[in-house]
Amino acid sequence: MDIVVIGGGAAGMAAASKAKRINKDANVTVIESGSFVSYAECGIPYFLQGIVGRAEDLLHYPLEEFTEKRGIRVIIGRVVKKIDTASLSLILDNGSAIKFDRLIIATGARPRIPDGIASGVFGLRSLESAIRLRDVIDGSRTVTIIGAGVLGVELASTLTEAGKKVKVISKYDRVMPQLDPDIGKILNEYFSSRVEVEFSSTPVEIRKEDDAFAVKTTVDDHVSDVVIAAVGIVPNSNIAVDAGIKVDQRGAILTDDHMETSIPGIYAAGDVATVKNRITGEDEMMPLAQIANKAGRVAGSNAAGSEMKFPGALGSTLVKVFDMEVGFTGLNEKRASALGIPYGKTMIRAKSRANYYPGKEDIFVKILYDSRDRKIIGGQVMGKDGAAWRLNTLATAIFAGFTVEDLFYDDLGYTPPFGPVWDPLIIAGSVSMRE
């Protein structure tokens, strides 16, 4: 059996490795358009900051791990131009053809670049682009970031800590609009006290002038050494569309719980593909590393003949903003309202450790729950000391179908250095029970 994977990122290499493990006799080939496979894309902001010294430090495994130890053929620097479903073959940019019995599309996504932007503005999605950007960043003083979502806020934080003067352009009235306005306001005040943010603004024109960029927005004009676009991504699904594979309105490849596409024998995983939202049951694009790895493994297993099912995801997201841990999982108020879900909500502020123990910090926890069955459907956290593990506990609770009562009675471990007797999550559950 010939199993071919297009894309050597998290999903692609997870798929290839699982397929080879399941079927040791299969010929497994990965075709990657770039120069690297299996690297930590989430570590790129810290590479740009300088905490991660070398680009090679972001590689999960050297190429030889796959080619020599796992027996996977890896072709780098080649682009797949066409999927020929009639002949079950791929046409590469050098004109050569590769046959397949099963195909896995893991081509990822590319940065969305706003209209009216000059060449030289950076989009950040690959290790190659990070290496080029770091060379520029190292010799620059001022940086403009277009977009105030997770990536924009994370980059602004790391680059400010690296000594750069950063300005963020946000089309919203706050940063990280994925958060609800109440908890989002707290983050907004914290972030904008450290980074200059131009709110309710969009770029009109960005043009290169000598060694800098003239940035004109709907609010103001300024000059910046470097401009980074962080306004979202576009799935690299063109070859799938050309092959007649169904995609959603964003262009993400639609998949079932086996990660199989609308064409039998062709699978997709990672940022280019949808997964099921565990709460709503809807197909969604959730471009996150853990989801990509797991969906890739499911795709690889099924392609190799051993059934696995992807049970859905919540889109759980964590980000470090200076010394603040910020995260969200499941639905926010805007999404719940759009879906017509009657919901209750609770937001509390509590201490991260026992009140008498040194190092305690405020932690903000917000939960949303379905008013009909009181199951938790969303969570948001923010704090400097242990907020991240509270977010992960909330994600586990939602995944398991916890009610607010279940959250209250959850038997969390306790010791003063790690949390108070009444942990912030227990308090959130208790307050919700009063509603």
Side-chain angles (χ1 to χ4, degrees):
M1 176 185 286
D2 293 320
I3 300 173
V4 180
V5 181
I6 311 174
M13 299 316 293
S17 298
K18 184 66 173 180
K20 190 66 177 178
R21 194 177 306 123
I22 292 295
N23 188 343
K24 293 179 172 56
D25 295 327
N27 299 312
V28 180
T29 301
V30 175
I31 305 168
E32 165 58 38
S33 61
S35 305
F36 303 97
V37 299
S38 186
Y39 59 86
E41 188 175 306
C42 298
I44 286 175
Y46 307 101
F47 168 66
L48 296 176
Q49 183 181 6
I51 290 178
V52 177
R54 306 177 307 143
E56 291 76 16
D57 294 334
L58 294 178
L59 297 177
H60 291 303
Y61 299 103
L63 186 61
E64 294 74 27
E65 168 69 24
F66 300 102
T67 57
E68 296 177 11
K69 292 186 179 181
R70 303 188 187 183
I72 298 169
R73 180 189 180 199
V74 179
I75 302 171
I76 60 174
R78 291 265 75 94
V79 176
V80 176
K81 304 297 287 185
K82 181 182 179 181
I83 302 170
D84 189 332
T85 56
S87 65
L88 296 183
S89 62
L90 304 176
I91 308 303
L92 306 189
D93 54 353
N94 62 357
S96 63
I98 294 181
K99 301 284 289 183
F100 64 85
D101 296 303
R102 297 287 185 272
L103 177 66
I104 302 168
I105 304 171
T107 45
R110 62 189 180 277
R112 185 186 300 278
I113 305 297
D115 295 333
I117 296 216
S119 60
V121 170
F122 278 90
L124 196 58
R125 199 65 188 171
S126 66
L127 190 52
E128 289 91 345
S129 65
I131 292 170
R132 293 193 298 270
L133 178 55
R134 178 159 165 176
D135 288 342
V136 176
I137 286 283
D138 286 347
S140 301
R141 188 179 64 86
T142 57
V143 179
T144 296
I145 299 173
I146 305 168
V150 172
L151 178 59
V153 166
E154 185 177 34
L155 283 172
S157 170
T158 55
L159 294 178
T160 298
E161 289 180 329
K164 308 303 177 183
K165 180 176 174 54
V166 178
K167 182 170 185 175
V168 174
I169 309 298
S170 172
K171 73 174 182 179
Y172 302 98
D173 60 357
R174 64 187 192 278
V175 299
M176 275 186 66
Q178 298 94 334
L179 299 176
D180 290 330
D182 47 9
I183 196 169
K185 179 182 178 182
I186 301 167
L187 175 64
N188 203 55
E189 292 174 353
Y190 172 81
F191 181 80
S192 58
S193 69
R194 290 160 175 78
V195 179
E196 182 183 359
V197 185
E198 190 173 287
F199 293 107
S200 302
S201 176
T202 55
V204 175
E205 182 185 24
I206 300 177
R207 65 181 186 277
K208 192 74 180 292
E209 288 188 352
D210 299 324
D211 294 328
F213 290 89
V215 181
K216 179 180 179 61
T217 71
T218 52
V219 172
D220 201 2
D221 301 344
H222 69 277
V223 175
S224 182
D225 296 331
V226 182
V227 179
I228 304 171
V231 293
I233 58 175
V234 180
N236 291 322
S237 59
N238 291 348
I239 56 171
V241 172
D242 292 342
I245 296 171
K246 292 182 180 178
V247 298
D248 71 0
Q249 67 276 8
R250 291 184 63 182
I253 299 171
L254 290 165
T255 64
D256 62 14
D257 58 2
H258 291 80
M259 303 313 298
E260 194 167 23
T261 71
S262 58
I263 296 182
I266 298 181
Y267 302 81
D271 296 355
V272 73
T274 63
V275 293
K276 282 284 188 299
N277 184 305
R278 189 163 173 89
I279 300 171
T280 68
E282 295 181 345
D283 296 310
E284 288 186 26
M285 182 180 167
M286 295 186 185
L288 295 161
Q290 288 199 60
I291 294 174
N293 275 284
K294 294 168 187 174
R297 181 175 292 190
V298 171
S301 186
N302 287 307
S306 179
E307 184 181 22
M308 281 184 75
K309 291 185 177 181
F310 189 85
L314 300 172
S316 303
T317 300
L318 280 169
V319 60
K320 179 180 179 293
V321 183
F322 294 100
D323 55 355
M324 195 72 74
E325 304 164 27
V326 183
F328 55 88
T329 185
L331 307 183
N332 58 19
E333 288 195 55
K334 182 178 179 180
R335 183 76 189 282
S337 296
L339 292 168
I341 298 174
Y343 65 89
K345 60 181 178 179
T346 297
M347 191 173 90
I348 60 99
R349 180 177 69 179
K351 294 300 180 184
S352 62
R353 310 183 190 192
N355 199 47
Y356 52 80
Y357 194 89
K360 63 183 179 296
E361 296 280 357
D362 283 339
I363 286 187
F364 299 88
V365 174
K366 179 171 183 177
I367 61 173
L368 268 63
Y369 55 91
D370 191 316
S371 300
R372 297 165 295 190
D373 57 15
R374 302 180 67 76
K375 285 187 177 181
I376 304 169
I377 58 173
Q380 299 168 37
V381 301
M382 176 177 169
K384 294 183 180 181
D385 179 45
W389 79 253
R390 269 91 179 184
L391 187 279
N392 285 336
T393 303
L394 280 176
T396 302
I398 297 171
F399 203 88
F402 271 30
T403 64
V404 294
E405 288 81 8
D406 293 326
L407 184 63
F408 172 71
Y409 287 113
D410 194 11
D411 192 10
L412 301 179
Y414 157 67
T415 188
F418 300 140
V421 173
W422 290 88
D423 188 84
L425 295 182
I426 305 300
I427 296 173
S430 175
V431 172
S432 300
M433 288 168 64
R434 302 172 193 167
E435 299 296 327

